[in-house]
């Protein structure tokens, strides 16, 4: 396997891991994964050919690979579930419940402009409260099932 193909596999796996963990809505988008991975490989090799250090090449490639993937809607829902509802379900049920409730919470996000640094804004507290309320209402209407 040539270097370019190994690099593509490396970047693909790194991106897939992030998507599986924090962006389940994108985890099966093979076109997105292939495109981003390819761009990252090309950026890495271009940076290397231009005389950048390995560290700089990795930074450039990572910037492209993970662009707009710093704020995760799913991680936010999972955080709310873990912090606010951990007393009503077992630890091993938290992530599966967050995955189940995630689609219901998506409409709450539409009222916010989500940027990579959104988690550090005042509006994040409002979003957190809205998500907590949406989950509480859902549980009241549907139970934990």
């Amino acid at each position: 396997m040539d270097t370019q193909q190994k690099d593509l596999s490396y970047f693909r796996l790194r991106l897939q891991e992030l998507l599986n963990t924090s962006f389940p809505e994108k985890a099966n988008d093979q076109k997105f994964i292939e495109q981003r991975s390819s761009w990252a490989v090309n950026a890495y090799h271009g940076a290397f050919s231009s005389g950048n250090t390995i560290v700089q090449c990795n930074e450039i490639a990572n910037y492209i690979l993970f662009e707009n993937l710093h704020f995760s809607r799913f991680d936010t829902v999972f955080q709310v579930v873990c912090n606010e509802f951990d007393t009503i379900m077992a630890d091993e049920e938290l992530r599966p419940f967050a995955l189940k409730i995630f689609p219901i919470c998506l409409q709450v996000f539409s009222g916010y402009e989500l940027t990579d640094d959104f988690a550090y804004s005042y509006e994040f507290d409002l979003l957190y409260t809205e998500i907590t309320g949406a989950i509480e209402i859902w549980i009241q209407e549907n139970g934990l099932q």
Side-chain angles (χ1 to χ4, degrees), residues 22-26 70-80 98 102 105-110 112 114 118 124 127 131:
S22 298
F23 296 89
E25 71 277 16
K26 292 184 181 289
H70 297 285
F71 179 81
S72 165
R73 295 179 298 178
F74 175 74
D75 285 348
T76 302
V77 170
F78 186 47
Q79 178 184 2
V80 169
F102 179 60
C105 295
L106 285 177
Q107 72 182 45
V108 176
F109 289 95
S110 65
Y112 296 89
L114 305 176
F118 181 78
F124 179 79
L127 173 66
I131 291 172

Side-chain angles (χ1 to χ4, degrees), residues 61-116:
N62 286 338
Y63 178 82
I64 290 169
L65 189 65
F66 301 124
E67 185 177 12
N68 296 323
L69 294 175
H70 297 285
F71 179 81
S72 165
R73 295 179 298 178
F74 175 74
D75 285 348
T76 302
V77 170
F78 186 47
Q79 178 184 2
V80 169
V81 169
C82 289
N83 292 344
E84 307 301 328
F85 301 96
D86 62 325
T87 59
I88 62 172
M89 62 185 88
D91 287 349
E92 64 272 6
E93 296 171 333
L94 295 172
R95 184 171 172 85
F97 180 76
L99 286 166
K100 178 179 174 177
I101 201 77
F102 179 60
I104 285 94
C105 295
L106 285 177
Q107 72 182 45
V108 176
F109 289 95
S110 65
Y112 296 89
E113 184 178 339
L114 305 176
T115 60
D116 283 345

Side-chain angles (χ1 to χ4, degrees), residues 32-63:
F32 174 79
I33 294 166
E34 293 301 319
Q35 188 175 48
R36 278 290 179 92
S37 302
S38 179
W39 289 350
V41 167
N42 291 336
Y44 180 92
H45 287 284
F48 187 78
S49 296
S50 297
N52 289 286
T53 66
I54 299 296
V55 171
Q56 291 169 322
C57 294
N58 279 324
E59 287 174 359
I60 292 166
N62 286 338
Y63 178 82

